[in-house]
Amino acid sequence: MPNKIANRKVICDVLMEHAKTDKDIVVLCSDSRGSASLTPFFNEYPEQSVEVGIAEQDLVGISAGLAACGKKPFAASPASFLSTRSYEQCKIDCAYSDTNVKLIGISGGVSYGALGMSHHSAQDIAAMSAIPNMRVYLPSDRFQTRKLFEALLQDQKCAYIRVGRNAVEDVYTEESCPFQMDKATLVRDGEDVLLVACGEMVRPAVDAAEILEKSGVSASVLDMYCVKPLDREAIVRQASKAKAVVSIEEHSPFGGLGSMVAQVVGEECPKTCVTMALPDSPVITGTSKEVFDYYGLNGEGIAKRALEALGK
């Protein structure tokens, strides 16, 4: 059974390791250090920590100010609030002003489960991707999260990174986790159908590919952790040899990964393109797994939709 660990905990580990020697790293939270698993960082590096309180607009504005002074701010807040309440500050203070602010949307998607639509972030991929100069990342497991944040520590551009709240099953291993900044990772190569997923949906996509294999269907799985910039070349390369394309995301069916993939496929190599996402309505009450299972965002559900797309 694959190991499980929450990606937010990995973020804390990486930042703590680098903060030992890089005193420009500053972590900011909006009364969310516990939810973000960043309490150890605050305890170890109080002079490099800022608790803003429940004030997301201030969180982003202060982060941008620190970046303008040469600091490397990492601002963590629930994705549902960070991508809505502080949207103007993300657009103007971070992207338009070209400041080195890393915005960490924690408990993304339906991570908060039963707390309902007020705490769900099913629009953040679309919203943040629409901001010019804003990069958007959804790492799939702990190994990819570590490599992504180590890369983000080396650049000077703003970015939005969404991670979930719960522990997720490994997609990769410590010995085998291919990573290239802003390039999708081909997890499995196949000929019949292409499965494109991001974030917590990558593991179910891999499960679906394994189920399809038992049915004699060869599936590629493309981990599109870099939603923006989108790796168009990888999509075209894998979609060109497939009979159908299925995208899977923990997001609204509008403006997210599915819309982006469909646009690329439609322009470059037209064929059947299916988007699997959350419904355009408040989701059912339940845990993340219960929500995913209900809407077919699991291995069995994805395999079923892939077979339908192939006319089987």
Side-chain angles (χ1 to χ4, degrees):
M1 187 72 178
N3 291 318
K4 284 187 171 185
I5 190 169
N7 292 337
R8 57 196 170 106
K9 294 183 178 180
V10 176
I11 295 172
C12 182
D13 291 343
V14 173
L15 293 177
M16 288 186 69
E17 291 167 11
H18 286 268
K20 294 177 182 179
T21 55
D22 189 346
K23 297 306 176 183
D24 285 333
I25 293 174
V26 181
V27 171
L28 302 91
C29 289
S30 57
D31 193 32
S32 52
R33 69 180 81 171
S35 297
S37 295
L38 286 167
T39 299
F41 187 98
F42 274 67
N43 292 340
E44 185 72 21
Y45 302 104
E47 294 183 358
Q48 293 172 252
S49 306
V50 179
E51 174 55 70
V52 176
I54 304 176
E56 289 80 8
Q57 294 176 341
D58 289 343
L59 173 76
V60 178
I62 292 169
S63 297
L66 288 168
C69 296
K71 297 298 182 180
K72 300 176 182 177
F74 288 79
S77 180
S80 55
F81 308 135
L82 183 61
S83 64
T84 53
R85 293 178 180 173
S86 58
Y87 192 64
E88 183 176 7
Q89 285 70 34
C90 294
K91 181 176 74 171
I92 303 302
D93 297 349
C94 298
Y96 181 67
S97 300
D98 198 21
T99 51
N100 180 22
V101 178
K102 304 306 192 288
L103 303 161
I104 306 171
I106 59 173
S107 301
V110 294
S111 291
Y112 277 120
L115 291 180
M117 188 171 174
S118 64
H119 282 62
H120 295 167
S121 57
Q123 81 302 314
D124 56 335
I125 297 176
M128 302 305 281
S129 295
I131 299 177
N133 203 37
M134 179 67 73
R135 299 172 296 166
V136 178
Y137 301 105
L138 280 80
S140 58
D141 76 354
R142 54 175 168 160
F143 301 111
Q144 191 179 69
T145 299
R146 169 172 286 277
K147 292 200 172 186
L148 172 61
F149 270 80
E150 288 175 343
L152 289 171
L153 278 161
Q154 303 305 314
D155 68 45
Q156 302 294 315
K157 299 177 288 185
C158 64
Y160 172 75
I161 309 97
R162 187 228 265 190
V163 294
R165 180 181 184 84
N166 305 310
V168 294
E169 292 183 7
D170 294 343
V171 175
Y172 306 101
T173 64
E174 189 169 5
E175 295 76 25
S176 178
C177 180
F179 180 86
Q180 185 176 354
M181 194 61 173
D182 298 336
K183 295 294 182 182
T185 301
L186 184 61
V187 184
R188 289 177 63 112
D189 198 3
E191 302 293 331
D192 297 321
V193 63
L194 169 61
L195 308 178
V196 187
C198 61
E200 293 191 23
M201 291 294 99
V202 176
R203 182 68 242 181
V206 174
D207 294 339
E210 294 173 351
I211 293 171
L212 289 168
E213 186 177 27
K214 295 176 182 177
S215 301
V217 175
S218 174
S220 295
V221 177
L222 199 57
D223 180 349
M224 192 60 69
Y225 83 89
C226 47
V227 176
K228 185 188 175 188
L230 189 72
D231 189 350
R232 294 175 62 96
E233 292 182 358
I235 295 172
V236 173
R237 182 169 57 251
Q238 295 303 128
S240 293
K241 63 181 182 178
K243 301 179 182 69
V245 178
V246 180
S247 62
I248 311 101
E249 61 188 317
E250 186 183 357
H251 190 266
S252 160
F254 306 108
L257 177 66
S259 298
M260 298 178 192
V261 170
Q263 182 176 358
V264 173
V265 173
E267 291 175 352
E268 302 290 345
C269 48
K271 61 190 61 186
T272 299
C273 199
V274 175
T275 297
M276 295 188 67
L278 296 170
D280 183 30
S281 61
V283 302
I284 63 163
T285 297
T287 64
S288 291
K289 184 180 185 307
E290 289 169 339
V291 172
F292 296 155
D293 289 346
Y294 185 84
Y295 294 112
L297 295 172
N298 53 25
E300 293 78 10
I302 297 168
K304 182 171 181 282
R305 288 294 294 277
L307 289 172
E308 291 172 353
L310 290 170
K312 298 187 177 185

